[in-house]
Amino acid sequence: GDGFLSQEEFDEMLLDPKVRGWFSIMGVDVFETSEFFRLLANGEGLVSAEEFTKCIPRLRGGARAQDLMAVRIRARQISASVDCVSKTVADMSKVVQHLQLKS
């Protein structure tokens, strides 16, 4: 493959009893794993295999660990959005200053 996992590929993977068994051995609820897939997915609905396998072990330990992981992932997404907005505002500020100098 291309090193990325789509939601469709992930759902298909979950139909495999061996995969479900692996998640069970890892102590990870498959439903929670599906939710984390959606959180991890980039804007195109893809998750790198590396990122996904890195995050799965962090989901062990029951709801508290899983909830904490969800908060961490969401915080990263929000931080990236804030950085993007900040850059846009800075760029717009430069344009306004440039236009004021021309006047």
Side-chain angles (χ1 to χ4, degrees), residues 22 26 40 47-60 69 73 76:
W22 181 78
M26 293 293 292
L40 288 171
V47 175
S48 74
E50 179 182 345
E51 179 75 10
F52 187 75
T53 54
K54 182 176 81 175
C55 288
I56 289 297
R58 295 180 188 170
L59 298 179
R60 294 190 311 196
M69 185 65 180
I73 291 168
R76 268 195 316 216

Side-chain angles (χ1 to χ4, degrees), residues 65-101:
Q66 293 174 358
D67 292 342
L68 182 57
M69 185 65 180
V71 169
R72 286 180 179 163
I73 291 168
R74 191 66 186 129
R76 268 195 316 216
Q77 292 170 337
I78 291 169
S79 178
S81 294
V82 168
D83 289 346
C84 183
V85 168
S86 179
K87 182 183 180 322
T88 301
V89 168
D91 290 346
M92 290 174 67
S93 178
K94 289 177 187 175
V95 169
V96 168
Q97 288 175 353
H98 179 74
L99 290 174
Q100 287 175 338
L101 292 175

